[in-house]
Amino acid sequence: MISHEDSPNDRLATTSASGSRIYLYPTDVKGKLRKLRNIVYDILIVIFLVMPWIRIGGQPVLLFDIPHRKFHIFGLSFWGHDAPMLFLVFLTVVASILLLTALFGRVWCGWGCPQTVFIDRVFRRIERWIEGPSGKRKK
């Protein structure tokens, strides 16, 4: 384990002094919260994979048809000339996201971010299935 004092200042922590890569082998986390997180991940994976096929009013849930200047967002249709109104709506959404990220960013990163969900629940599971647990991968 590298302590804070031993960590390099002039290079990435995952590269050796010679510049070669230092591989990381994360171990499996266990516990009650891990089981809950896996349930949340499974639900989110289904939502992420099914959402492109869900239709509201004959249109996809989210569709940004830029060449035709038509936008469908959760059943509401907007045209290009609605841009000033949409600008205010999106500005409010962005400000809300920034506020919520400042308050609950770690919750989003650990529990809801699509990248985290797919890496932790899909890709690491495949890695464990093919290469085995972290101790075996390290050897």
Side-chain angles (χ1 to χ4, degrees):
M1 173 87 93
I2 297 175
S3 67
H4 177 67
E5 293 81 25
D6 296 336
S7 65
N9 292 325
D10 59 342
R11 60 183 166 82
L12 293 173
T14 55
T15 57
S16 67
S18 65
S20 62
R21 182 176 175 184
I22 299 172
Y23 288 91
L24 302 176
Y25 303 96
T27 188
D28 296 332
V29 179
K30 294 178 171 67
K32 293 178 187 175
L33 283 178
R34 185 66 215 185
K35 290 177 184 177
L36 178 62
R37 185 180 284 191
N38 286 342
I39 292 169
V40 171
Y41 282 176
D42 292 339
I43 292 168
L44 287 175
I45 286 172
V46 169
I47 290 171
F48 293 151
L49 294 177
V50 171
M51 197 167 165
W53 286 276
I54 296 174
R55 295 189 170 270
I56 298 175
Q59 298 295 332
V61 173
L62 291 174
L63 174 66
F64 300 114
D65 188 1
I66 294 173
H68 296 107
R69 295 184 211 159
K70 192 171 184 180
F71 310 99
H72 300 283
I73 304 169
F74 296 105
L76 301 172
S77 296
F78 300 99
W79 292 91
H81 62 271
D82 295 329
M85 179 190 64
L86 284 177
F87 176 75
L88 294 175
V89 170
F90 284 132
L91 186 65
T92 305
V93 169
V94 168
S96 300
I97 289 172
L98 290 174
L99 176 66
L100 289 174
T101 301
L103 296 175
F104 303 108
R106 296 307 305 159
V107 174
W108 168 253
C109 288
W111 288 73
C113 174
Q115 178 180 350
T116 303
V117 169
F118 279 101
I119 285 176
D120 203 40
R121 195 67 177 143
V122 177
F123 298 117
R124 284 202 183 131
R125 181 182 272 181
I126 293 169
E127 185 178 65
R128 280 190 300 272
W129 177 61
I130 293 172
E131 298 178 358
S134 64
K136 186 178 177 185
R137 287 190 304 243
K138 203 174 213 179
K139 288 179 185 180

